[in-house]
């Protein structure tokens, strides 16, 4: 494997599974830190703030500043602030997306009180039927439907659990619209890292377990990609895809 200046890691299935760190990935990140190479965490997890993700990583032995953590929540808030100025936003999601939307100065509303211009959906473990009803009706009344990410499912110690994309598609199907997704495989998060740090695309590599999000994100952005066989999509499945990652490996190794 060639050397890069900036290593962009997916989190779930790449750095950890559920609450358990993946030893080889943790050793690899420690190595990058020792060599003073740049590393970033690029995650479709919109349910946690960067501070909460920082704590999750710290519990696994990875000390990282929050400015290394790029979540789909932050990117979604930036996308809405840029494209729907002064919008009233109805949100389904937890702390991560709420904090991100508020810090962009967006006006969060309930559909009982106002008619939203935008419905934003991020992962919400307290989601219920009435929230989905409100989102579905608001979108039918003309609100734009934006999902932080399209992940249909994600791995846990118990097995696969429903991901945000499952719920966004549910609302989209009811309202008969095409949703917009901001998280991977959209290349927006990698574009922001490139802009903020001034890397060339050939300096960057995207590392992940999920072909349809991580690898396609890197391919669409135009950088090298590494698929690891530690999460949701097996190497066997990846090898059947038409567009191949730059490298397919079992797990990360220090060379
Ligand atoms: Mg993953």
């Amino acid at each position: 494997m060639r050397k890069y200046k900036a290593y962009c890691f997916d989190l779930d299935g790449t750095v950890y599974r559920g609450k358990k760190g993946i030893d080889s990935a943790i050793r690899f990140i420690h190595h990058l830190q020792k060599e003073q190479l740049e590393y970033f965490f690029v995650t479709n997890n919109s349910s946690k703030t960067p501070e909460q993700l920082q704590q999750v990583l710290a519990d696994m032995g990875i000390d990282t500043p929050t400015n290394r953590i790029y979540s789909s929540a932050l990117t979604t808030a930036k996308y809405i602030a840029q494209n729907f100025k002064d919008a009233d936003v109805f949100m389904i999601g937890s702390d991560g997306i709420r904090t991100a939307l508020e810090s962009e100065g967006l006006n969060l509303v309930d559909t009982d009180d106002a008619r939203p211009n935008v419905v934003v959906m991020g992962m919400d473990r307290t989601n219920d039927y009435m929230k989905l009803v409100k989102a579905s009706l608001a979108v039918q009344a003309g609100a734009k439907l934006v999902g932080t990410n399209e992940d249909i499912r994600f791995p846990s110690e118990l097995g696969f659990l429903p991901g945000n994309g499952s719920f966004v598609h549910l609302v989209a199907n009811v309202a008969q619209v095409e949703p917009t997704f901001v998280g991977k495989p959209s290349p927006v998060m990698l574009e922001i890292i490139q802009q903020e740090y001034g890397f060339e695309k050939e300096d960057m590599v995207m590392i992940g377990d999920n072909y349809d999000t991580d690898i396609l994100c890197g391919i669409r952005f135009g950088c090298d990609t590494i698929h690891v066989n530690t999460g949701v999509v097996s190497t066997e499945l990846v090898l059947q895809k038409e567009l191949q990652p730059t490298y397919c490996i079992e797990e990360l190794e220090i060379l």
Side-chain angles (χ1 to χ4, degrees):
M1 194 191 300
R2 57 166 281 231
K3 289 214 165 181
Y4 298 90
K5 287 185 186 161
Y7 293 77
C8 304
F9 294 87
D10 167 57
L11 284 176
D12 220 339
T14 301
V15 176
Y16 52 71
R17 274 183 294 259
K19 293 192 176 85
K20 203 174 172 328
I22 297 171
D23 292 341
S24 53
I26 293 171
R27 278 197 301 273
F28 191 84
I29 291 160
H30 285 163
H31 172 74
L32 297 180
Q33 290 175 326
K34 205 174 106 215
E35 299 287 312
Q36 297 191 315
L37 291 162
E38 306 283 2
Y39 62 94
F40 302 91
F41 300 106
V42 179
T43 178
N44 276 2
N45 184 335
S46 65
S47 64
K48 292 189 168 73
T49 64
E51 288 74 20
Q52 289 168 329
L53 288 168
Q54 180 186 43
Q55 187 58 49
V56 168
L57 289 165
D59 291 343
M60 293 167 186
I62 299 171
D63 288 318
T64 179
T66 51
N67 67 7
R68 297 286 155 155
I69 301 171
Y70 287 76
S71 74
S72 57
L74 290 173
T75 315
T76 298
K78 283 181 186 173
Y79 171 84
I80 292 168
Q82 284 169 15
N83 290 280
F84 305 93
K85 224 167 165 29
D86 302 323
D88 288 329
V89 179
F90 175 69
M91 181 209 80
I92 293 178
S94 43
D95 286 0
I97 183 70
R98 176 182 298 279
T99 309
L101 292 167
E102 284 173 351
S103 65
E104 286 292 331
L106 291 158
N107 187 30
L108 300 182
V109 298
D110 192 309
T111 55
D112 294 340
D113 311 320
R115 194 167 154 172
N117 318 86
V118 184
V119 170
V120 178
M121 294 181 68
M123 189 60 198
D124 182 351
R125 286 181 169 76
T126 66
N127 209 342
D128 63 37
Y129 189 74
M130 277 318 293
K131 287 188 196 174
L132 294 166
V133 165
K134 285 181 175 184
S136 302
L137 293 175
V139 174
Q140 286 171 75
K144 180 85 182 159
L145 178 59
V146 179
T148 55
N149 67 82
E150 197 171 1
D151 291 7
I152 296 297
R153 63 181 195 165
F154 58 89
S156 79
E157 306 93 318
L158 303 170
F160 291 106
L161 304 180
N164 185 50
S166 293
F167 295 103
V168 179
H169 281 299
L170 185 155
V171 170
N173 286 338
V174 173
Q176 300 278 290
V177 298
E178 272 302 314
T180 298
F181 290 101
V182 174
K184 297 172 287 185
S186 155
V188 172
M189 290 191 281
L190 293 181
E191 286 166 4
I192 289 176
I193 293 172
Q194 184 192 22
Q195 285 162 16
E196 289 182 349
Y197 288 82
F199 296 122
E200 300 294 333
K201 285 183 182 177
E202 53 266 35
D203 296 336
M204 298 171 68
V205 64
M206 179 69 217
I207 304 165
D209 65 302
N210 189 332
Y211 179 87
D212 297 311
T213 54
D214 307 321
I215 302 305
L216 284 183
C217 171
I219 289 172
R220 286 182 191 172
F221 172 67
C223 70
D224 279 2
T225 53
I226 301 173
H227 175 264
V228 288
N229 197 23
T230 51
V232 72
V233 179
S234 70
T235 303
E236 274 169 277
L237 272 175
V238 172
L239 292 174
Q240 294 167 19
K241 304 283 186 181
E242 193 188 327
L243 294 170
Q244 285 290 302
T246 316
Y247 302 101
C248 264
I249 59 176
E250 273 306 305
E251 53 187 338
L252 289 161
E253 259 179 81
I254 302 159
L255 299 174

